[in-house]
Structures are given as C-alpha cells and as structure tokens.
Amino acid sequence: MRARSSLPGFLFLYALLFAAFGVASPFLPALLQQDGLTPGSIGVVLAAGTGIRLLAGPLGGRIADRSGRPAAVLCGLTVAAAVIALGYAPARGLPLLLLVAVAHAAVLAPLNPIADALALGSSRQKPGFEYGWVRAAGSAAFILGTLGSGQCVGRAGLGVIVWLNAGLLAGAACLAWRVPDRVAGVGTGSETGSIRLLLAMPMFRRLMLAASLIGGSHALHDGFEVIRWRSAGLSDGQASLLWSMSVAAEVGVFLFLGRRTVQRIGPGPAMMLSATAGIVRWGVAARTAWFPAMLLVEPLHGLTFALLHLACMDMIGRTVPARLAATAQAFYATVAMGAVSTLVTLVSGTLYGRYGAASFWSMAAMCALALPVAIGIRGERAGRIAA
C-alpha cells in the first residue's frame, strides 16, 4: 500500500512546484523592468537563464542518480531555489539580477525531471497511482498560480511574486523530503548517471529525436499564434478561450485518456498519433484563423503535448536503467524539449515575419518527419504502465 499512500504527497508536491512556476514566470520580465533593466538587458537575463538550464538540468539529474537518494537531492535543490528566489527582492541592476537569475535557473532546472523520475517510480509499484494524475495536478496548479499571482500583483505590486515563489518552493521542499526514494527504470545495474551511456542506447536516441520534433513544433504556436489570431480579427476574449481550451485538453488527457491510449496501442503508435495530430493542427493554422476551426483544433494540444509526454515517460521507464532515470528525465526535459524548442523559437520569428501564417507548414513538416522515427519506437503493450 506504500505506493498508493504516496499519491497524496506527490499530488501536493507537483501542485506546489508548478504553482511556484506559475506565479513567477509570466511576470518575471516585468519585475526585471521595474528593477531598472532595459529590454536588451532583460533579454540577456532571460537568455542566460535558458542557457544555464541546458547544463544544470542534466547535471542535477546525474547528481541525483549518483547519490542514490534522488528525493534528498530534490529537497536540497528546492530549498536552494526558495532561498535564491529571495535574492530578487534586494537586487538591482544588471550584474546582480543576472547573478540571481542564473543561480535560480540552475537549481530550478533539475526539479521537474527528478520529480518525474520519482513519481514514475512510485506509479509502477502498485495499482492506485498513475503518473498522469500528478502531472495533471501540476498543470492545473500552474494555471491557478498564474491567475492568483495576477490578482496579487494587481493589489500588492510585482514584488509579491518573489515571496509567493519562495514560499511555494519552501512548501514543496518539505514534501520532497518525504516522497519514496524510488525511480522508474529497468534492471538494477551498477551504472551511474551518464549522458554518454544514455546516448549509446539506440532506442533512447530515437525517442529523443521524435520528442524533439513533435515538442519543438509547438514553438511557433506559443510565440505567434495569439498574434496571428488578433491580426485575423479574433478578440482577446476569443484568444483567451482558445488558449484555455488547449490547456484544459492537456489536463484531460493527463487525467483520463492518456494512460488508456498508451496502454492499448503502445508508446510508439501513441507518438505517431501525437505527430499526426500535430500535422492536422498546424496545417489548419497555416490555412485559417477562423474561430470555429480553431475551436476544433486547439484541443488537439492534448494529443500533441500531453499524450507525447506520457508516451515518453512510459518509454523512459521501460528502456532506461533505474540508475540513469533522473539523468534521462533531465536530458529529455532540458535538451530534447527545451533546447530544441528554444532553437525553433529563434527561427520561428524570422519565418513568421517573412511568411506569416504559412510558416505553420514548417511546424507540420516537423511532425511529419517524426512519423517514421516514431514507427521504430517499441515498448511492451501488455501489463501496467507508468503513464
């Protein structure tokens, strides 16, 4: 019953972690501007944070794997993140704010991957605990955190996000200490965390390539879809409704459809379904911004993101040795998804500026390229899975 009894702890852990992300991320650029940074300096700070995540995420995962106590590492990093967040309160000027931002990003980067490795490990022990449930709790908490912080900022000013972020991270640290110290993986070999060992696994390389193509295809949508909608005459209320529908579909797949889909058809076919949904979604976006059409395709986010994520979690749990689990999660989150999305975002600005809505065909092409890659991703179709 230990796996079942650990579910509430993970639900609250994910809720606090993602709420902490939600209260800060939308308003951080405005806080930096209030603290005296120019737009160019804000870009430097945000880019530096993104860059350090690419290094710190896999490094933090490797430390968790090598320690043999990933929950303790998660707790320590979360405490450090809460303390460093407070540095935004007194810091002024580019040098100090850059230092705080880089340090904060470095300790934040491994949190979600290590938590995923631990949640997947518990979900594989006994029925009654599904990883999708805790991930859905995180997505919902992110939305609530963003909405709640918006209200708080309106009443108390931008500085309140510092205290909200630090307080939520401190609460998450208390819960991280108590979650079971088990990770999802195969075997109990003596390997310690190493990206070199992971990349030597053909199935892991194939999985990361498919994930980066499908996940990276969201970059143009995230950066320019609202601009596209508004230029086509959609109101801000309609844009907000469409965006909310995509997030609601994400939560719905995490809670209800994702596990059953991956269990019935297998992770490879599930990724092919995700890629196909991406082709349809971005193909429609390239042709029209008609509101009824958008109402039909925006919920495909549940397939293009949530189903993709669950299939990746399942395959990592099936194919990666347990002693490499946190490293694999960190590589997936920061390199395959994070780095590729960042690169595609940089290119998407030029594409949208030159081709407008037609640039969405390039995102559809990325999903089409993922289809033959996903065909070769094979996992067990019988038995209980982590997702």
Side-chain angles (χ1 to χ4, degrees), residues 130-168:
E130 298 297 342
Y131 166 79
W133 297 348
V134 296
R135 189 58 177 78
S139 296
F142 185 93
I143 298 169
L144 294 176
T146 300
L147 294 174
S149 63
Q151 296 297 316
C152 293
V153 166
R155 297 180 179 181
L158 286 166
V160 73
I161 69 171
V162 173
W163 305 100
L164 290 173
N165 181 255
L168 289 165

Side-chain angles (χ1 to χ4, degrees), residues 165-222:
N165 181 255
L168 289 165
L169 287 170
C174 296
L175 293 171
W177 183 260
R178 300 176 61 85
V179 298
D181 234 339
R182 59 169 73 93
V183 294
V186 295
T188 56
S190 61
E191 305 98 328
T192 54
S194 169
I195 294 175
R196 179 181 58 82
L197 292 173
L198 285 171
L199 294 179
M201 301 168 57
M203 190 59 68
F204 183 79
R205 295 198 304 268
R206 181 179 287 269
L207 177 67
M208 293 300 102
L209 178 57
S212 65
L213 288 169
I214 303 171
S217 75
H218 291 75
L220 189 64
H221 174 275
D222 295 346

Side-chain angles (χ1 to χ4, degrees), residues 209-254:
L209 178 57
S212 65
L213 288 169
I214 303 171
S217 75
H218 291 75
L220 189 64
H221 174 275
D222 295 346
F224 296 95
E225 185 69 290
V226 172
I227 296 174
R228 154 74 166 151
W229 291 337
R230 296 187 70 189
S231 68
L234 271 65
S235 68
D236 290 336
Q238 288 175 318
S240 177
L241 174 62
L242 291 173
W243 201 277
S244 299
M245 287 179 63
S246 70
V247 177
E250 171 189 324
V251 174
V253 170
F254 277 133

Side-chain angles (χ1 to χ4, degrees), residues 57-68 183 189-199 201 320-331:
L59 177 61
R62 184 173 184 181
I63 291 172
D65 283 332
R66 293 180 67 89
S67 71
V183 294
S190 61
E191 305 98 328
T192 54
S194 169
I195 294 175
R196 179 181 58 82
L197 292 173
L198 285 171
L199 294 179
M201 301 168 57
V320 172
R323 294 295 299 275
L324 294 168
T327 306
Q329 292 286 351
F331 187 91

